[in-house]
Amino acid sequence: MKLMWFHLMPYTELPDDFNQKHPSVWVDIHSSLFDPRRAHHMYNDFMDELEYAAEVGFDAVCVNEHHSNGYGLMPSPNLIASSLARRTTDTALCVMGNSLALYNPPTRVAEEFAMIDCISGGRLIAGFPVGSPMDTCYAYGQNPSMLRERYYEAHDLVKKAWTEKETFAFSGRFNQQRYVNIWPRPIQNDPHPPIWIPGGGSIETWRWCAEMDYVYCYLSYYGYKAGLTTMQGFWNEMAKLGKDRNPYRAGFLQFVGVAESRQQALDLYSEPAEYFYGRCLHVDARFALPPGYTTEATQRAGIEGMMTKAANLANPATKASLKATNMKDIVDGGYVIIGSPDEVVEQIRHVATSLNVGHLMLLLQYGNMSKDTTKYNTRMFAEQVMPRVKDLFDDWEDKWWPKPLAKGQRAAVPAFRPQLAAAE
Amino acid sequence: MSAPKASTVEINGFPCRVWTKGTGPKLGFLAGLGGLPRWLPFLDKLAETRTVIVPSLPGYPGATGHTELDTHLDWVLAVRQLIDKAGLAGADLIGASVGGAFAAEMAAIFPGHVRKLVLIAPFGLFDAQEPATDPWAQRKDNVAGLMCANGEMWNALVAVPEGANSIEWPIEMGRASEAAARAFWPLGNTHLEKRLGLIAAPTLILWGERDAVLPPSYAKKFAAGINGSTRVETVAGAGHLAYLDQPDAVARAVLAHFS
């Protein structure tokens, strides 16, 4: 299986009384809470952590896009990915992803992803989320009733921009361009970089991923127990559509904290986990459901209870039934897997096999976890967990993984000289 | 209240419900946020002396087709066809809230289509100095109090009627909200001020004195922009959907203006 290291880049210094004094971590979080001098260190710590994860052997490093968000400091994940392209060598770069409807014209995504693919020698995984209500409809003012149509059209345009050899005109419902001819073009051109789709639990998305042969990723913050129903729904739908159970069709996000013992793990990871589930997911419910964001088919399924409200569970603003913010409930609920290496190995094997997920995206930094603790968690996982779960799904081929240039064909990146770094 | 006569017209291939009740000269009503999931006492009052014709805007209760409308021009042309097919061309027209913005467009762009105009707290303008409230970013329990001075009036509008499909009813209510958002996201601003000067129809502007969505001071901006003779009246004890809060007072003012 593939083990991927995911960073959300949370602001790590939200005050203790944040939830009492502020209505939301997202959309209208107050600017006075943001100290750019502190953020300088946070960004550099986070990028150190991503580079470290690549160094210790994770298959991929993952970044994502959020706007006006106190737990996600990456309005542009592409900036981070381009830096990682230069500071890593063989690790896949998973940009999870660019919210297509937010880019005008959407060919900007085709261009920037092509740049990252060229700079990295063909290591890009191209994630295309619709984007959360908070990011797209509120922070970016997109019309919720048109968001999905714009998303699908932008997808068609980006894919055609990657694959069409001649300059072409695109006459869409929302986008019109006379001359589409992106330079650069992606290295992965057979036919294009792997496309992965992070989504909630809508049947429409599952069917579309199956039809397009894309990887479906369920990126919930609530762990494998809450995710089980969704992933079972996904696999049932694949079976109905006549698709095989290749676990690499799917990706799943899981928080993990590993230490020498369960008690040590509790000691180390309780504070950052409680910071994340307490402060970082403190999203005002008024930003939960812009009218039209959820399709009527999904609403109908939700009301009828067929879907166990999976789409809502993926959305922090509608977490009404899932409010654990203390470590015992967080662990009991399966949001965060903690324990000794043996205990974590057992749980990871259980997660991967019960959900049938070949791409496991791990959050090993969360909340206000320090760089030292993050590196410890990352190293413990790489050295003592990874080798004992790696064999899972060996019988299956991962057809959705990047195909970089052969090593001999790739540029040699000169060693970084730290004396040129920003002065302390 | 006896039931109105219901018929259906097609706009862009999608059905839109038209309710008719009463006798006398015709008048039309384009409803505000939430649309008309049920007939109203306000409309009954008007129907005592007038033929009241109530077409549903695309996506509002009783109608679909909002998903085909991408631009403001699409919307304006859909409403124009709705007015024509409902038999309202040349009649008096009332528009409230989001329906008010479209009623103003009709009078501005197709002056022959509207004899006299009543606008009840219409959408269409935005003033950054006095920003309108975001009706689409509200916690559920705040909505009723935002729409009406007496929140119970809103609750009564959207309550599930006996025998209604419990799955489809909330979806229909959500669809009305989506349709309004589709036309007016994110600020309610269609730059209507550019076209107000084209309105020649005698216009009455009504505004609930406790409108929590659009500041009552917006009434002056409409009055200043409209070219025809214009009068502003404040409705005491009313919120954004004044025709729900004060059906008698609003109906009286409307009928006096049209007479």
Side-chain angles (χ1 to χ4, degrees):
Chain A
M1 69 182 304
K2 298 292 199 303
L3 295 152
M4 311 169 68
W5 202 97
F6 202 121
H7 216 317
L8 291 170
M9 300 203 172
Y11 195 83
T12 55
E13 295 176 10
L14 297 174
D16 292 342
D17 59 0
F18 176 73
N19 290 25
Q20 288 75 51
K21 291 207 172 147
H22 298 270
S24 191
V25 77
W26 212 337
V27 183
D28 57 358
I29 182 172
H30 202 270
S31 67
S32 60
L33 298 174
F34 187 88
D35 180 347
R37 290 168 182 275
R38 298 298 304 147
H40 164 73
H41 290 282
M42 291 175 203
Y43 276 121
N44 281 281
D45 283 350
F46 296 156
M47 292 164 87
D48 287 348
E49 291 158 16
L50 282 157
E51 290 163 17
Y52 182 74
E55 199 179 302
V56 297
F58 280 83
D59 295 298
V61 282
C62 315
V63 290
N64 74 342
E65 172 178 336
H66 283 305
H67 301 278
S68 312
N69 184 333
Y71 78 71
L73 298 184
M74 280 183 285
S76 173
N78 301 357
L79 294 181
I80 305 298
S82 72
S83 167
L84 291 170
R86 291 276 294 176
R87 299 286 291 273
T88 62
T89 50
D90 300 311
T91 315
L93 304 174
C94 178
V95 183
M96 200 83 246
N98 286 182
S99 300
L100 289 170
L102 303 186
Y103 295 79
N104 183 14
T107 42
R108 179 84 187 186
V109 174
E111 292 173 329
E112 291 192 6
F113 273 179
M115 285 178 71
I116 295 169
D117 204 46
C118 282
I119 296 168
S120 68
R123 289 184 281 140
L124 175 74
I125 294 167
F128 291 150
V130 170
S132 73
M134 291 67 86
D135 291 313
T136 57
C137 301
Y138 293 109
Y140 259 46
Q142 288 296 307
N143 191 313
S145 177
M146 298 186 201
L147 185 71
R148 273 163 220 278
E149 291 153 338
R150 283 183 180 277
Y151 167 82
Y152 286 120
E153 180 178 302
H155 158 272
D156 295 346
L157 172 52
V158 167
K159 195 157 141 177
K160 192 168 181 190
W162 276 342
T163 52
E164 175 63 51
K165 300 287 184 263
E166 303 299 328
T167 301
F168 66 93
F170 188 84
S171 178
R173 190 168 168 183
F174 306 103
N175 300 279
Q176 304 218 328
Q177 276 170 272
R178 172 68 76 175
Y179 305 102
V180 182
N181 176 32
I182 61 157
W183 270 64
R185 300 284 178 133
I187 283 180
Q188 299 183 83
N189 59 4
D190 184 24
H192 52 71
I195 294 175
W196 294 21
I197 309 294
S202 82
I203 294 174
E204 296 106 309
T205 305
W206 295 341
R207 287 183 185 154
W208 188 64
C209 286
E211 182 196 340
M212 307 304 281
D213 203 26
Y214 296 160
V215 171
Y216 168 75
C217 304
Y218 186 59
L219 307 184
S220 148
Y221 300 133
Y222 298 102
Y224 66 101
K225 289 183 185 170
L228 184 62
T229 321
T230 302
M231 292 315 297
Q232 279 173 345
F234 171 76
W235 289 115
N236 289 343
E237 192 61 29
M238 291 306 108
K240 269 191 224 161
L241 298 170
K243 300 287 178 185
D244 62 26
R245 278 179 62 83
N246 187 332
Y248 294 111
R249 290 186 182 282
F252 188 79
L253 183 74
Q254 180 65 54
F255 288 59
V256 176
V258 54
E260 300 295 339
S261 67
R262 185 177 174 84
Q263 188 53 51
Q264 195 198 350
L266 280 170
D267 293 345
L268 278 175
Y269 305 120
S270 290
E271 188 196 332
E274 289 177 355
Y275 178 103
F276 183 82
Y277 288 98
R279 287 173 231 185
C280 293
L281 296 189
H282 177 58
V283 182
D284 196 326
R286 68 197 184 96
F287 301 127
L289 286 174
Y293 178 87
T294 307
T295 65
E296 290 187 5
T298 301
Q299 288 177 47
R300 211 164 268 128
I303 296 166
E304 287 167 357
M306 284 155 51
M307 295 294 306
T308 67
K309 300 189 171 63
N312 285 346
L313 293 184
N315 179 347
T318 56
K319 63 182 190 296
S321 61
L322 285 168
K323 276 190 168 162
T325 55
N326 69 77
M327 192 57 170
K328 182 180 182 305
D329 294 339
I330 288 168
V331 172
D332 288 350
Y335 308 178
V336 180
I337 287 173
I338 61 146
S340 66
D342 285 349
E343 291 166 331
V344 171
V345 165
E346 190 191 329
Q347 292 176 84
I348 293 284
R349 292 187 78 93
H350 172 71
V351 171
T353 50
S354 63
L355 305 183
N356 194 42
V357 167
H359 300 119
L360 198 54
M361 302 176 187
L362 299 149
L363 272 169
L364 296 166
Q365 192 285 344
Y366 32 87
N368 59 353
M369 195 187 294
S370 71
K371 181 161 73 174
D372 284 347
T373 306
T374 302
K375 286 172 91 166
Y376 172 76
N377 196 15
T378 302
R379 182 170 56 78
M380 286 293 284
F381 192 98
E383 289 177 355
Q384 303 203 40
V385 179
M386 203 187 297
R388 296 161 63 192
V389 297
K390 216 37 211 157
D391 61 296
L392 282 167
F393 310 127
D394 268 355
D395 300 343
W396 292 96
E397 181 196 355
D398 188 350
K399 294 184 280 188
W400 300 270
W401 198 252
K403 296 178 183 65
L405 294 174
K407 275 196 174 173
Q409 295 178 313
R410 276 190 252 163
V413 179
F416 179 64
R417 286 170 295 171
Q419 67 269 25
L420 295 178
E424 279 299 313
Chain B
M1 280 194 294
S2 66
K5 181 171 97 40
S7 59
T8 301
V9 297
E10 270 201 8
I11 306 297
N12 300 320
F14 291 86
C16 293
R17 181 193 69 199
V18 179
W19 271 339
T20 307
K21 188 172 176 183
T23 53
K26 290 176 187 174
L27 66 77
F29 177 63
L30 300 178
L33 287 168
L36 293 175
R38 46 171 44 91
W39 185 256
L40 299 177
F42 164 67
L43 298 170
D44 254 357
K45 268 276 171 241
L46 299 175
E48 287 172 6
T49 53
R50 305 289 299 253
T51 302
V52 178
I53 300 176
V54 186
S56 281
L57 295 169
Y60 271 47
T64 56
H66 59 296
T67 49
E68 302 305 298
L69 308 176
D70 298 335
T71 65
H72 197 54
L73 182 60
D74 289 346
W75 276 98
V76 165
L77 294 179
V79 177
R80 154 82 197 248
Q81 292 177 70
L82 196 54
I83 295 285
D84 284 346
K85 291 184 178 181
L88 280 168
D92 293 331
L93 186 62
I94 311 161
S97 169
V98 293
F102 288 124
E105 298 285 9
M106 292 303 110
I109 304 172
F110 311 110
H113 266 58
V114 181
R115 196 184 77 95
K116 286 187 176 180
L117 179 65
V118 174
L119 301 175
I120 306 170
F123 271 56
L125 304 185
F126 186 81
D127 180 351
Q129 301 305 315
E130 274 184 291
T133 304
D134 184 350
W136 301 295
Q138 295 297 329
R139 295 175 206 168
K140 265 191 182 157
D141 49 359
N142 282 346
V143 173
L146 187 69
M147 294 299 154
C148 290
N150 175 5
E152 287 311 311
M153 305 310 282
W154 170 264
N155 290 335
L157 177 78
V158 300
V160 188
E162 213 174 309
N165 183 319
S166 61
I167 291 166
E168 292 308 313
W169 182 264
I171 288 175
E172 208 169 300
M173 297 302 100
R175 191 184 298 141
S177 186
E178 175 183 351
R182 192 171 177 100
F184 293 97
W185 190 273
L187 300 177
N189 185 1
T190 55
H191 296 292
L192 183 54
E193 71 275 8
K194 293 181 182 175
R195 296 175 294 282
L196 288 179
L198 299 173
I199 297 177
T203 303
L204 171 66
I205 297 166
L206 294 175
W207 221 287
E209 67 171 351
R210 289 160 64 191
D211 191 329
V213 179
L214 301 177
S217 60
Y218 279 30
K220 289 192 215 99
K221 302 176 203 295
F222 276 93
I226 291 173
N227 209 27
S229 75
T230 309
R231 210 154 41 80
V232 176
E233 280 181 34
T234 301
V235 184
H240 180 59
L241 300 177
Y243 54 92
L244 295 182
D245 276 317
Q246 300 296 341
D248 291 350
V250 174
R252 265 199 310 277
V254 166
L255 291 171
H257 177 65
F258 286 160
S259 69

